[in-house]
Amino acid sequence: MSISADLYQELILDHSKSPRNFRAMENPDREAEGINPLCGDEVTVFLKIEADRIIDVSFQGQGCAISKASASVLTTMIKGKPIADAEQLFQAFHDLVTGKPVSIDVGKLAAFQGVAVYPTRVKCATLAWHTLHSALQGEQKTSTEGKE
Ligand code: ZN
């Protein structure tokens, strides 16, 4: 597929080709696995948490360019952030890719705005975020089935 050819497309290509924080983590405080059956994307998110702050985050998995880039950008956005901020970003990102108004500055996440016009790709973009949310809630598995 080709998402709208704006200047942000480069960011998605870059992150899908060279994903950041793409590694397993030893002794993570939280770990969750997410699947997107619609596309076949799989992601595992690892977190180290200290005093309600995400001090380290990494991921592993396989899937399409959008799912991989989204997971990669996610790790760069939430590292060092309080859990509450990460949850707020999850909500904002979800609003962004489902075409709803977004009230906070989403920074690099704006690159995924074009996904909103491709309903079948929304789950690719949100998979890592749903998985992060599950990990923060202490759940170990999630699926995009029945979610946006
Ligand atoms: Zn996908």
Side-chain angles (χ1 to χ4, degrees), residues 35-39 41 66-67 97 115 118-128 130 144-148:
I35 54 162
N36 174 21
L38 215 68
C39 178
D41 308 314
I66 298 270
S67 69
V97 297
V115 170
Y118 300 94
T120 57
R121 308 311 295 243
V122 169
K123 291 178 189 209
C124 300
T126 57
L127 173 63
H130 281 299
T144 58
E145 212 153 43
K147 292 178 185 150
E148 275 190 315

Side-chain angles (χ1 to χ4, degrees), residues 14-134:
D14 174 40
H15 277 266
S16 67
K17 280 184 192 153
S18 324
R20 320 297 197 273
N21 304 299
F22 188 66
R23 58 187 158 82
M25 187 186 288
E26 275 188 33
N27 306 314
D29 293 313
R30 306 279 173 83
E31 176 181 345
E33 192 187 319
I35 54 162
N36 174 21
L38 215 68
C39 178
D41 308 314
E42 296 171 9
V43 67
T44 303
V45 172
F46 306 91
L47 300 170
K48 276 222 196 307
I49 293 170
E50 223 174 82
D52 289 332
R53 189 175 286 271
I54 298 163
I55 57 166
D56 196 13
V57 51
S58 68
F59 80 105
Q60 281 202 309
Q62 53 189 15
C64 66
I66 298 270
S67 69
K68 207 171 219 181
S70 176
S72 173
V73 174
L74 174 151
T75 63
T76 65
M77 297 280 298
I78 66 162
K79 198 167 178 173
K81 285 220 160 70
I83 288 173
D85 287 14
E87 291 281 26
Q88 196 185 19
L89 269 179
F90 165 60
Q91 192 54 53
F93 183 71
H94 194 268
D95 288 344
L96 180 84
V97 297
T98 52
K100 297 187 187 95
V102 178
S103 51
I104 62 166
D105 178 15
V106 293
K108 283 183 283 185
L109 296 178
F112 293 90
Q113 193 159 21
V115 170
V117 294
Y118 300 94
T120 57
R121 308 311 295 243
V122 169
K123 291 178 189 209
C124 300
T126 57
L127 173 63
W129 288 91
H130 281 299
T131 309
L132 167 72
H133 179 68
S134 293

